[in-house]
Amino acid sequence: MFYAVIMAGGAGERFWPLSRRDRPKQFLSLVGERTMLQLTFDRLEGLLPPENVLVITGVSYIETVRQQLPEIPPENIVAEPCGRDTAAAVGLGALHVMCKEHPPGD
């Protein structure tokens, strides 16, 4: 089974002045009406069902991700306990995929 992990963390510091802490770049619409997060999800259409897509994001952005991607099951939107860059986000995503495929106790 294949999964996709979308990393949607970040604190809105690198895309200033458009991006701010309360609205980082992944939640901005730069081309058309869809946000960068939504466009990333759109590129997966036809490749994977929404149940096989996970989004790793910051705690303060969970609700925004849910609003922008209602197709993704809530349990697939994972909050990083604290932002630790790309490697930690990849590891957290891999851990969640492993737990989905091999639940504890199986």
Side-chain angles (χ1 to χ4, degrees):
M1 188 62 64
F2 290 100
Y3 288 84
V5 177
I6 299 172
M7 294 180 286
E13 298 167 348
R14 295 194 180 127
F15 209 63
W16 184 89
L18 296 176
S19 181
R20 300 272 200 259
R21 181 167 291 283
D22 62 335
R23 191 115 171 123
K25 65 182 175 286
Q26 62 267 28
F27 304 123
L28 296 177
S29 301
L30 300 177
V31 179
E33 295 182 16
R34 308 263 301 155
T35 65
M36 292 175 66
L37 174 63
Q38 291 169 321
L39 291 171
T40 300
F41 178 74
D42 292 349
R43 287 192 295 275
L44 296 170
E45 188 175 354
L47 298 174
L48 297 168
E51 302 81 43
N52 289 27
V53 177
L54 283 85
V55 177
I56 309 297
T57 193
V59 173
S60 58
Y61 304 129
I62 289 286
E63 191 54 40
T64 303
V65 173
R66 285 184 182 150
Q67 290 171 0
Q68 289 197 5
L69 298 177
E71 307 91 331
I72 293 182
E75 65 272 14
N76 286 14
I77 302 171
V78 181
E80 294 179 285
C82 60
R84 293 287 181 239
D85 296 321
T86 304
V90 169
L92 183 60
L95 180 64
H96 276 267
V97 168
M98 185 181 77
C99 288
K100 283 174 106 24
E101 286 295 305
H102 307 285
D106 271 0

